[in-house]
Amino acid sequence: TPSKRIFTFNASAKTSTAIDPVKGEVIKSIPLGGAPEQAYADGKGMIYDTLQSTNEIVAIDTKDLTVKSRFPTAPLGAPTSITMDRKTRRLFIGGRNPKVLVMMDADTGKVIGEPFPIGDRVDANVFDAGTNMVAAATREGTLHIFHEDSPNKLTAVETIKTEFGAKTMGLD
């Protein structure tokens, strides 16, 4: 079961802070070894966070409050945005250098398939479990849409022009 804790991600301190929301107390500051950018919880007790400064994903165990794994993101650099298909345990990570989206196995850290080119300054990804669609939003004004055909295959569907700077999004 999930930990029922709140986690903050602190870029300048390069930590994540675990908070007990009932007691209103800090439980622990977890050293990450790099500046965190965006996090995604798998609903089973793990949080995955992109570390731009070290080009890796960290997997944080929310129960024992430790970093369980470090996954390099090559060929992706400066990983920024992240989302997940919880059923297939696939992470979808957007990077800024080079500007690509990759699919990664959340348990092994293996990058699956080839990277997909995306626009400049990716900032957010979302995954729709109902359609198996992944979207990546970039500052340059593009929304890149992909389909997870299987746990080992991602296909580019289309690129939609949006407004410059429209890089933050949510899924309803």
Side-chain angles (χ1 to χ4, degrees), residues 146-165:
F146 303 90
H147 184 264
E148 181 188 20
D149 302 331
S150 75
N152 295 315
K153 186 174 184 207
L154 191 66
T155 302
V157 175
E158 73 177 301
T159 299
I160 300 168
K161 186 75 176 146
T162 63
E163 290 189 35
F164 179 83

Side-chain angles (χ1 to χ4, degrees), residues 70-160:
R70 294 182 175 282
F71 302 136
T73 57
L76 170 104
T80 303
S81 57
I82 189 169
T83 192
M84 181 180 200
D85 178 346
R86 291 177 170 178
K87 186 177 80 186
T88 63
R89 306 223 19 99
R90 295 300 185 247
L91 299 169
F92 304 99
I93 307 156
R96 293 183 175 176
N97 185 24
K99 299 173 275 196
V100 296
L101 181 104
V102 298
M103 181 166 63
M104 177 184 281
D105 183 304
D107 299 313
T108 67
K110 179 183 177 195
V111 173
I112 299 166
E114 295 298 314
F116 288 88
I118 57 174
D120 188 39
R121 305 230 2 123
V122 63
D123 204 53
N125 294 350
V126 294
F127 176 76
D128 182 348
T131 62
N132 284 357
M133 301 296 257
V134 179
T138 67
R139 182 186 69 150
E140 75 178 18
T142 52
L143 181 66
H144 301 270
I145 310 293
F146 303 90
H147 184 264
E148 181 188 20
D149 302 331
S150 75
N152 295 315
K153 186 174 184 207
L154 191 66
T155 302
V157 175
E158 73 177 301
T159 299
I160 300 168

Side-chain angles (χ1 to χ4, degrees), residues 15 21 28 30 36 42 47 62 71 79 101 103 112 129 131 135-136 142 156 169-170 172:
T15 62
K28 182 178 180 181
I30 307 163
D42 73 353
I47 293 177
T62 64
F71 302 136
L101 181 104
M103 181 166 63
I112 299 166
T131 62
T142 52
M169 64 178 161
D172 179 7

Side-chain angles (χ1 to χ4, degrees), residues 7-31:
F7 291 81
T8 66
F9 293 87
N10 317 301
S12 53
K14 299 178 181 174
T15 62
S16 176
T17 303
I19 300 166
D20 180 327
V22 176
K23 295 179 182 176
E25 297 174 356
V26 170
I27 302 168
K28 182 178 180 181
S29 180
I30 307 163

